Amino acid sequence: MNSISELQDFIINGHKHYMPHISIDAAIFGYHDHQLKILLSGYKALGGYCLPGGYIKRTETLDKAANRIVAESTSLTDLYLKQYKTFGDPDRIKWSELDFEKFSKEIGLPYIKDSWLIDQTISVGYYALTDFSLVTPKAGLLSDSCDWFNIDEIPPLLYDHDQMVKDALHTLRTQLYYYPIAEKLLPAKFTLTEIHAVYETLLGKKLDIRNFPKKLVFLGLIKKLNEKRNIGPHRAPFLYKFDLKKYTKALETGTTLT
Amino acid sequence: MNSISELQDFIINGHKHYMPHISIDAAIFGYHDHQLKILLSGYKALGGYCLPGGYIKRTETLDKAANRIVAESTSLTDLYLKQYKTFGDPDRIKWSELDFEKFSKEIGLPYIKDSWLIDQTISVGYYALTDFSLVTPKAGLLSDSCDWFNIDEIPPLLYDHDQMVKDALHTLRTQLYYYPIAEKLLPAKFTLTEIHAVYETLLGKKLDIRNFPKKLVFLGLIKKLNEKRNIGPHRAPFLYKFDLKKYTKALETGTTLT
């Protein structure tokens, strides 16, 4: 945590600059070498982890706010963040279960319960995918820590953030076939083994090694090149690349499937 | 408009029951016999059309609010509404361009400018698809009219609702292949000509009559039945049905494509 007085000011006066009742939370997935991770912010005062999040300035678009919030809470910049769902269950944050006394003591403010922050809030969910080996997150203004967690070793999260992770991962998986989400995780030219590994890891399930690439080619998502990569004696698999023109055109008019 | 006093009360006291800064707007598409339409609410006081919309009660989930709002402003109930995007550009509603004097006169309230409604608002977008021949919309509490408009004859809409329609239609089109969106528009058993017409109309483009059904079958979205329909001498095309089991399973684990 950077500065208690900055945080105090945010808690007391934040609603003058930020819209009350609305927050943003970001599910940032990281892939590298058959592993899928997610970025979690730790909050000592709240006694747990949640997705990096924050509030929207009255002068910002949602996308701009999402980028600023992620940069502030994780030190990651220039992420391709994509909105996926807004969460608005009135019971999503159980304020009655928050230990206000402990929280107030931690922050050094006696009247936190009256803050604009302690009210019904809907949250706009964003997700992103990056190569976790290339980035080292750091905690930001409001969080105490920020670390990559293996996707199957996520601790129980605060509020409704378990549901957020579930929905974000579902969106990532369904959108994998019509947005070139995985493109930045692969070299410009890749083998079928390489793209097979990425898709298997992101989807969290085994894919038929012979049938899977056929579908990608059939759908026009990847193109076979007239080039091979030499990876050993008698081993020179063909190279492929994403057909980004096809993706882009499909996104304008509908899907890649027509 | 049902009642001026009810509307006045909403404008003055609404924020006690509804969350300020957040609204819901619904793009309701209607299909029938090669035609695609959209439902628009007319507002005399605002001098134009927009998507049916409203505010969220502090006790409601977003989905529940969306259903209530649509029922109130269109008299359509039990629609399958699906959230697709939240709109949060600070300039999305240009209050400075609203003729407050005219609006106040219309409503019969002198101090509308101070209302909780006249403030920065993000809007959660929902969309739905129905058979427009089966439903007759009616105006609700806040709107003066509610009618189906042909998709290519939409008048310029208020606020950012042109963008909302564009994004909703894009979502409908991309999701057409992994949610069984079109299922309710077709009989349980249909011919390739019938599903071809639905998909062509929803996508707003020509589809190859021979190649298109092959893809749907390849992807496992539809199944050929061992049954034919007699539609004339020497004309008995095979019948098909959606593979809803495959859709449902795909939605749990990823996509229909693996």
Side-chain angles (χ1 to χ4, degrees):
Chain A
M1 205 164 288
N2 278 357
S3 143
I4 278 287
S5 67
E6 202 174 342
L7 182 60
Q8 286 180 338
D9 185 56
F10 177 73
I11 290 171
I12 300 168
N13 298 310
H15 61 290
K16 294 174 190 166
H17 310 290
Y18 298 85
M19 265 188 292
H21 299 292
I22 309 161
S23 65
I24 284 178
D25 290 296
I28 302 167
F29 298 104
Y31 171 86
H32 191 75
D33 192 18
H34 297 76
Q35 288 175 85
L36 185 60
K37 293 177 187 278
I38 191 164
L39 206 55
L40 297 179
S41 291
Y43 294 87
K44 276 189 199 157
L46 297 170
Y49 292 93
C50 54
L51 296 176
Y55 293 84
I56 302 150
K57 285 183 186 165
R58 286 170 182 264
T59 53
E60 284 175 331
T61 63
L62 290 180
D63 286 354
K64 204 178 158 195
N67 276 287
R68 176 187 52 76
I69 286 163
V70 167
E72 282 175 7
S73 60
T74 69
S75 295
L76 299 189
T77 53
D78 293 327
L79 273 182
Y80 177 62
L81 284 162
K82 215 170 134 43
Q83 199 199 102
Y84 69 97
K85 187 179 172 182
T86 296
F87 297 82
D89 193 311
D91 297 323
R92 56 179 293 273
I93 301 180
K94 291 187 177 53
W95 293 118
S96 58
E97 287 177 12
L98 184 65
D99 186 342
F100 280 106
E101 204 173 328
K102 184 184 161 213
F103 189 51
S104 294
K105 211 174 278 174
E106 184 90 29
I107 304 294
L109 272 179
Y111 40 84
I112 256 183
K113 216 169 176 172
D114 303 324
S115 166
W116 64 284
L117 291 165
I118 311 301
D119 202 347
Q120 195 172 333
T121 302
I122 71 161
S123 188
V124 184
Y126 278 74
Y127 84 89
L129 180 64
T130 187
D131 182 335
F132 69 74
S133 74
L134 302 178
V135 285
T136 308
K138 286 186 295 188
L141 171 63
L142 296 174
S143 57
D144 297 290
S145 65
C146 187
D147 298 291
W148 292 111
F149 285 71
N150 288 331
I151 201 73
D152 48 7
E153 291 168 6
I154 302 176
L157 303 180
L158 294 164
Y159 318 132
D160 55 350
H161 287 212
D162 288 324
Q163 187 63 41
M164 285 182 174
V165 172
K166 202 180 155 203
D167 289 349
L169 195 54
H170 173 72
T171 306
L172 169 68
R173 286 171 174 171
T174 50
Q175 296 194 340
L176 204 49
Y177 289 89
Y178 61 95
Y179 289 106
I181 296 173
E183 189 224 344
K184 288 200 168 52
L185 304 178
L186 286 160
K189 299 171 184 181
F190 48 82
T191 65
L192 289 183
T193 307
E194 284 169 339
I195 193 170
H196 183 258
V198 170
Y199 273 63
E200 250 191 13
T201 305
L202 296 185
L203 291 170
K205 63 178 178 183
K206 291 285 168 204
L207 299 171
D208 188 314
I209 186 74
R210 286 157 309 175
N211 202 27
F212 161 76
K214 265 190 225 165
K215 290 197 180 182
L216 292 185
V217 174
F218 177 82
L219 295 169
L221 303 185
I222 63 173
K223 276 198 300 203
K224 191 175 183 175
L225 300 171
N226 199 14
E227 261 179 80
K228 292 180 176 189
R229 188 192 293 157
N230 287 306
I231 54 172
H234 313 294
R235 292 182 63 209
F238 272 103
L239 290 169
Y240 289 74
K241 69 170 187 177
F242 278 106
D243 190 340
L244 293 180
K245 208 171 142 190
K246 174 120 188 180
Y247 264 114
T248 310
K249 186 156 175 272
L251 284 176
E252 280 164 18
T253 54
T255 78
T256 54
L257 308 184
T258 54
Chain B
M1 203 163 288
N2 278 356
S3 145
I4 278 288
S5 67
E6 202 175 343
L7 182 61
Q8 285 181 338
D9 184 58
F10 177 73
I11 290 170
I12 301 168
N13 298 310
H15 61 289
K16 293 174 189 165
H17 309 290
Y18 297 85
M19 266 190 291
H21 299 293
I22 308 161
S23 65
I24 284 178
D25 290 297
I28 301 167
F29 298 104
Y31 171 87
H32 190 76
D33 192 17
H34 298 76
Q35 289 176 84
L36 185 60
K37 295 177 185 278
I38 190 165
L39 206 54
L40 297 179
S41 291
Y43 294 87
K44 276 190 198 158
L46 297 168
Y49 292 93
C50 53
L51 297 176
Y55 293 83
I56 301 150
K57 285 183 187 166
R58 287 170 182 262
T59 53
E60 284 175 330
T61 63
L62 291 180
D63 287 352
K64 205 179 158 195
N67 275 287
R68 176 187 52 76
I69 287 163
V70 166
E72 282 175 7
S73 59
T74 70
S75 296
L76 299 189
T77 52
D78 293 327
L79 273 182
Y80 178 61
L81 284 162
K82 216 172 131 46
Q83 201 200 102
Y84 68 97
K85 188 179 171 183
T86 296
F87 296 81
D89 192 311
D91 298 323
R92 57 179 292 272
I93 300 179
K94 293 188 176 56
W95 294 118
S96 59
E97 287 177 12
L98 184 64
D99 186 341
F100 280 106
E101 205 174 325
K102 183 184 162 213
F103 189 51
S104 295
K105 211 174 281 175
E106 183 92 31
I107 304 294
L109 273 179
Y111 40 85
I112 257 182
K113 216 169 175 169
D114 303 324
S115 166
W116 65 284
L117 291 165
I118 311 301
D119 202 347
Q120 195 172 335
T121 302
I122 71 162
S123 188
V124 184
Y126 277 75
Y127 84 90
L129 180 64
T130 187
D131 181 336
F132 69 75
S133 74
L134 301 179
V135 284
T136 308
K138 286 187 294 186
L141 171 64
L142 296 174
S143 56
D144 297 290
S145 65
C146 188
D147 298 290
W148 292 110
F149 285 71
N150 287 331
I151 200 75
D152 47 8
E153 292 168 5
I154 303 175
L157 304 179
L158 295 164
Y159 316 133
D160 56 350
H161 287 213
D162 287 325
Q163 188 62 43
M164 284 181 175
V165 172
K166 201 179 154 202
D167 289 350
L169 196 54
H170 173 72
T171 306
L172 169 68
R173 286 171 174 171
T174 50
Q175 295 193 340
L176 203 48
Y177 289 89
Y178 61 94
Y179 290 105
I181 295 174
E183 190 224 345
K184 289 199 170 51
L185 304 178
L186 287 160
K189 299 172 183 180
F190 47 82
T191 65
L192 290 182
T193 306
E194 284 170 337
I195 193 171
H196 183 259
V198 170
Y199 273 63
E200 249 191 15
T201 305
L202 297 184
L203 291 168
K205 63 179 178 183
K206 291 285 168 204
L207 300 171
D208 188 314
I209 187 74
R210 285 157 310 176
N211 204 26
F212 160 76
K214 267 191 222 161
K215 290 198 180 180
L216 293 186
V217 174
F218 178 82
L219 295 169
L221 303 185
I222 62 173
K223 277 197 301 202
K224 192 176 182 174
L225 300 171
N226 198 14
E227 259 178 81
K228 292 181 176 188
R229 188 192 293 158
N230 287 308
I231 53 172
H234 314 296
R235 292 181 65 206
F238 272 103
L239 290 169
Y240 288 74
K241 67 170 189 176
F242 278 106
D243 191 340
L244 293 180
K245 209 171 144 190
K246 175 120 188 181
Y247 263 114
T248 311
K249 186 157 176 270
L251 284 177
E252 280 163 17
T253 55
T255 79
T256 54
L257 309 183
T258 55

